[in-house]
Amino acid sequence: MGVPRGAHSPLATIFFVAIGLLLLCPTTNAQLTSTFYATTCPNVSSIVSTVIQQALQSDARIGASLIRLHFHDCFVQGCDGSILLTDNSTTNIQSEQNAGPNVNSARGFGVVDNIKTAVENACPGVVSCADILALAAEASVSLSGGPSWSVPLGRRDGRSANQGGANASIPSPFDNLANLTSKFSAVGLNTNDLVALSGAHTFGRAQCRTFVNRLYNFTASGPDPTLSSSYATTLQQTCPQNGNGAALANLDPTTADAFDNNYFANLQNNQGLLQSDQELFSATGAPAALVNSFSSSQTAFFQSFAQSMVSMGNIGPLTGSSGEIRRDCKMIN
């Protein structure tokens, strides 16, 4: 898993109205709390952060990959760690990792396993894999220069996967604004959430196959007209026609591994890498206004992003006696 002057401008008003609506609608599930592990695993956040810090030393992409896992998990039958389950004929599990939005692109599973091992060594049988994904997403953002927030915890792990649901529900890089809005609405997220969470594309990479259609013969006259011609030319060097679809391009061509608000300035300059990115600014209305607001104020973006991450993390969690605490994130107990 992308928006921004003056304290009294209409754009600022839109932003504060959006925040006000979020505050009117509680974003934390009453059964989740940031102090859930205060007595049973008090150091869990620092354990997660330490493992990710180590991983970042050799893999600058890992932060973006981990937040994407949390995003793709929550959009399919709620934030239950189902994306971590691998194929298993005995338990009749068809892994979501093999769904179109994830196959050959979702990554970071080894780091999740390392986190789980470290957490189990400190607090065996206590912390769910679903909570590890939520904590890893927050740590990945804050360690990359982005905001930090208190992560509501207490999710339990699901005992099933939903490959078909992953194919249908996860937003696609080819989606237009209507489809994006529909998919976010289906899980209880609004336009502010859509634009703010899209801002996670301020770091990480995307494979050529996810945007190469915009570079060649998109129209009779050539590339996608919503893509800067100079940017399209640069991308064609990375992604030649009929080239390697798995080759990578930076989602943010300016500060590829930093979590900042440059993503929104890129959209204003027609440098949104994915169609689903540029859609936020190409259409008129609230999404474009939020892009302008977030571009002009990193503080506004960071505040909204943190709120929306909490909202997303509260999509359909299993709590109480539902589900389980997996010993191994790849398989049910």
Side-chain angles (χ1 to χ4, degrees), residues 156-176:
R156 289 170 63 84
D157 297 319
R159 293 177 51 81
S160 65
N162 189 344
Q163 189 177 116
N167 281 319
S169 301
I170 295 174
S172 160
F174 311 108
D175 278 341
N176 60 28

Side-chain angles (χ1 to χ4, degrees), residues 101-317:
N102 297 321
V103 66
N104 298 321
S105 66
R107 60 191 300 275
F109 298 105
V111 175
V112 174
D113 288 340
N114 291 343
I115 295 171
K116 180 63 171 174
T117 297
V119 170
E120 286 294 304
N121 286 339
C123 324
V126 171
V127 181
S128 69
C129 299
D131 275 349
I132 284 174
L133 286 180
L135 288 166
E138 190 277 336
S140 295
V141 170
S142 61
L143 287 170
S144 300
S148 60
W149 60 92
S150 295
V151 181
L153 300 167
R155 302 167 191 80
R156 289 170 63 84
D157 297 319
R159 293 177 51 81
S160 65
N162 189 344
Q163 189 177 116
N167 281 319
S169 301
I170 295 174
S172 160
F174 311 108
D175 278 341
N176 60 28
L177 183 59
N179 287 339
L180 291 169
T181 301
S182 176
K183 288 179 178 179
F184 272 70
S185 178
V187 293
L189 299 178
N190 59 25
T191 298
N192 190 84
D193 299 317
L194 165 60
V195 179
L197 292 173
S198 294
H201 286 174
T202 188
F203 64 174
R205 316 285 189 271
Q207 296 182 6
C208 288
R209 64 183 178 88
T210 62
F211 61 86
V212 71
N213 65 304
R214 305 181 70 204
L215 305 181
Y216 305 97
N217 306 316
F218 189 87
T219 67
S221 58
D224 185 343
T226 67
L227 192 64
S228 159
S229 59
S230 60
Y231 186 41
T233 299
T234 298
L235 291 173
Q236 287 171 347
Q237 297 172 10
T238 302
C239 305
Q241 199 164 16
N242 302 316
N244 179 9
L248 299 172
N250 295 330
L251 282 160
D252 178 355
T254 51
T255 53
D257 298 318
F259 197 97
D260 52 34
N261 67 333
N262 282 347
Y263 167 86
F264 301 102
N266 295 337
L267 299 188
Q268 292 172 321
N269 294 324
N270 290 332
Q271 291 184 332
L273 184 64
L274 307 178
Q275 179 181 342
S276 57
D277 291 324
Q278 198 59 51
E279 282 279 325
L280 302 179
F281 192 66
S282 296
T284 59
L290 285 165
V291 169
N292 290 330
S293 176
F294 293 163
S295 177
S296 66
S297 173
Q298 182 163 278
T299 298
F301 166 48
F302 280 10
Q303 289 176 343
S304 195
F305 183 82
Q307 289 261 6
S308 292
M309 284 298 293
V310 171
S311 295
M312 187 184 76
N314 281 289
I315 298 172

